[in-house]
Amino acid sequence: MNQTHPKPLKPRRNALQWLLRGLYLFYEFLIAGPVFVVATFITAIITFTGCMVGNRDFWGYWPPSIWARFTCRLFLMSIEVSGRENIDPKQSYVFVANHQGAYDIWLIYGYLGHNFKWLMKKELEKIFAVGAACKKAGHVMVDDSSISGIRQTIAESESTLRNGMSLVIFPEGSRSWDGSMIDFKRGAFMLAAEFKLPVVPLTIDGSFKAMPRYTYCMTPTRIRLVIHKPIWPDEKGFNTKKLMAQCRQSIEEGFVK
């Protein structure tokens, strides 16, 4: 009795995947990449010039926010945001987020929907045009190599937050190598305790798959931003260790199981 065997589909599907991957890499490096570089420098120039003219809170946020959204669309990323109703645009916060990859920057800049300044590594000042624009926009540069540097960071942060502005911090300090969270550093939580500001945990899920730390090759995917409810200080302020644990738990609960 003759039996009919189904044709193998896996090799054909794999071949199609390789073809699509090759087409995307061609698009990424020869089309989207150059457009991104040009857009980045144009945004840096607009930001720097606008901040020199005045109202750095406007020019330091809106041009980069448009650039960030443009970048996500340019590289064909799908963005999903939830929890915006948890934050008040007139309230200052300290936002703390896990750090999976480079897309964390574009995701928060473009889709958080709340004006803020970054707490960023001082060495980023050295990036051509971008570093100067960030400094002119009033982002807080962190020099944690000495006690005096940390004190200066606290002083700059206090000046920034005085006018209702918020800060965004990656408490891990650097991007993850495998997508999982690493240990938090205390600096972000010490700042929140110092200024008695509510802390909002942010879960970023998917940016590691979009572009891992160890490569410049991207993969179009869905990236999720979950804005959790603020954690408010009590009359005594914050217990730093307890705050760190609360934020870590909230961020972990935001991942897709």
Side-chain angles (χ1 to χ4, degrees):
M1 182 175 180
N2 293 331
Q3 294 182 349
T4 302
H5 297 282
K7 294 181 180 179
L9 298 177
K10 190 173 181 180
R12 186 178 300 173
R13 186 165 60 248
N14 284 344
L16 178 60
Q17 289 174 347
W18 278 109
L19 175 62
L20 293 175
R21 181 62 178 163
L23 288 173
Y24 180 79
L25 291 176
F26 175 86
Y27 169 77
E28 176 190 341
F29 287 104
L30 297 183
I31 301 175
V35 171
F36 166 74
V37 171
V38 172
T40 300
F41 287 124
I42 291 175
T43 303
I45 292 168
I46 292 173
T47 299
F48 185 89
T49 305
C51 290
M52 285 190 66
V53 173
N55 195 358
R56 73 178 186 178
D57 290 346
F58 175 87
W59 293 104
Y61 175 72
W62 284 108
S65 179
I66 294 169
W67 162 78
R69 285 175 174 259
F70 172 75
T71 298
C72 291
R73 291 171 181 169
L74 179 66
F75 290 105
L76 310 182
M77 302 298 167
S78 173
I79 307 300
E80 178 184 322
V81 183
S82 61
R84 280 208 190 101
E85 69 278 2
N86 291 328
I87 55 176
D88 180 351
K90 297 180 181 179
Q91 170 68 45
S92 291
Y93 299 102
V94 174
F95 293 97
V96 294
N98 60 306
H99 203 3
Q100 287 192 340
Y103 269 91
D104 301 343
I105 307 294
W106 300 313
L107 181 68
I108 293 175
Y109 236 152
Y111 297 91
L112 179 60
H114 190 95
N115 204 332
F116 66 88
K117 304 295 183 187
W118 293 103
L119 193 70
M120 56 200 307
K121 294 181 179 180
K122 193 171 181 63
E123 53 261 36
L124 295 176
E125 285 183 299
K126 300 176 182 178
I127 301 176
F128 177 72
V130 174
C134 288
K135 191 171 183 180
K136 185 63 69 174
H139 298 296
V140 180
M141 304 294 178
V142 183
D143 178 11
D144 58 2
S145 60
S146 66
I147 297 297
S148 61
I150 295 173
R151 286 174 179 167
Q152 182 180 352
T153 298
I154 292 175
E156 289 182 23
S157 301
E158 184 175 17
S159 175
T160 297
L161 294 168
R162 190 171 294 156
N163 298 318
M165 186 59 63
S166 295
L167 278 178
V168 175
I169 308 172
F170 295 117
E172 294 164 283
S174 60
R175 289 170 289 165
S176 169
W177 284 103
D178 60 2
S180 60
M181 280 194 293
I182 59 179
D183 292 339
F184 285 176
K185 296 181 179 180
R186 293 181 62 191
F189 308 98
M190 291 173 66
L191 281 175
E194 176 77 19
F195 306 130
K196 295 182 173 59
L197 287 174
V199 177
V200 179
L202 303 175
T203 299
I204 297 172
D205 190 12
S207 71
F208 178 78
K209 181 179 179 181
M211 189 172 73
R213 181 175 180 175
Y214 49 79
T215 181
Y216 289 106
C217 295
M218 303 181 194
T219 300
T221 189
R222 184 184 68 162
I223 308 175
R224 297 173 57 250
L225 174 64
V226 181
I227 305 169
H228 297 278
K229 292 183 178 179
I231 302 171
W232 292 82
D234 57 27
E235 62 276 3
K236 295 181 180 179
F238 281 120
N239 178 300
T240 304
K241 285 188 176 181
K242 183 179 178 181
L243 178 61
M244 287 176 66
Q246 285 179 292
C247 287
R248 191 175 187 92
Q249 180 180 352
S250 293
I251 292 171
E252 287 176 342
E253 289 174 351
F255 290 109
V256 175
K257 306 301 183 189

